[in-house]
Amino acid sequence: MNLKIAALVLAVISFAGATTISVVPIYEPITLHGTDVDEAISEIGEALQATVMPRPMALSGAFPETLVEAVRTTHELPGNDPNYTVDEVNLLVLCRVGVAAEIVDQKLEVSLDVGEMVVPEGIDLTERQVIRLAIVAIRKTLEVYQEPQPDRLEVKIAIVGAGDQREGLGELACHFEIEGS
């Protein structure tokens, strides 16, 4: 009898710890600083030394919230040239922009926290450009996710922590819908 109880306990414990891990593309706003790419035309229509690109990630958690939050993960860009020594390329990490997402009333609410935002010396971008690139990255990540989904996804992006010094960044808040299949 004790063996049956032990087996049942082990089964419950292993089931409780089970998670689904998915490999998904995450778009990130990245700096091209340290490369020979000068002022590529970016997704926001400006010539910048930055772009939005995807990379594969293995993620678990609540989707699509986890996807959005993964847009702000550390990213050391691998290379084969010993002269390329940039340790971090994700602009949200470099510029200290926080990202949070949650489903509220069947809508995805995203917060970009700019309260501690600082564009590092050597990164030739404005705060507005960084936030615009972040919004493009979030949208592209969600478009790939939403493509096979049966319903549309309503997304609201808020800019928080702007305060008086960054009041203009609040203008970049937006609302959009992404259609499913």
Side-chain angles (χ1 to χ4, degrees), residues 1-82:
M1 187 68 139
N2 288 345
L3 268 154
K4 287 182 181 180
I5 292 173
L8 181 60
V9 168
L10 279 174
V12 168
I13 290 171
S14 64
F15 179 74
T19 59
T20 300
I21 299 172
S22 299
V23 176
V24 294
I26 299 297
Y27 284 80
E28 299 173 331
I30 65 168
T31 176
L32 301 175
H33 179 72
T35 70
D36 294 324
V37 178
D38 287 333
E39 299 197 351
I41 300 298
S42 73
E43 287 76 4
I44 61 174
E46 297 179 43
L48 302 175
Q49 198 173 17
T51 192
V52 173
M53 296 183 90
R55 73 169 169 156
M57 291 186 71
L59 299 176
S60 64
F63 281 65
E65 301 96 308
T66 297
L67 294 169
V68 171
E69 292 171 354
V71 169
R72 190 209 185 274
T73 53
T74 59
H75 188 169
E76 181 178 347
L77 189 63
N80 67 350
D81 189 321

Side-chain angles (χ1 to χ4, degrees), residues 57-119:
M57 291 186 71
L59 299 176
S60 64
F63 281 65
E65 301 96 308
T66 297
L67 294 169
V68 171
E69 292 171 354
V71 169
R72 190 209 185 274
T73 53
T74 59
H75 188 169
E76 181 178 347
L77 189 63
N80 67 350
D81 189 321
N83 294 320
Y84 181 76
T85 59
V86 176
D87 293 329
E88 180 61 55
V89 296
N90 188 318
L91 287 166
L92 297 176
V93 174
L94 286 168
C95 298
R96 299 190 309 207
V97 175
V99 178
E102 65 179 331
I103 297 290
V104 177
D105 296 328
Q106 299 180 352
K107 296 176 187 135
L108 180 62
E109 293 193 2
V110 178
S111 296
L112 296 177
D113 187 345
V114 298
E116 296 183 20
M117 184 177 193
V118 175
V119 178

Side-chain angles (χ1 to χ4, degrees), residues 121-134:
E121 191 174 313
I123 303 294
D124 190 20
L125 297 168
T126 66
E127 291 179 343
R128 289 181 71 82
Q129 290 168 327
V130 170
I131 297 303
R132 289 178 64 202
L133 287 166

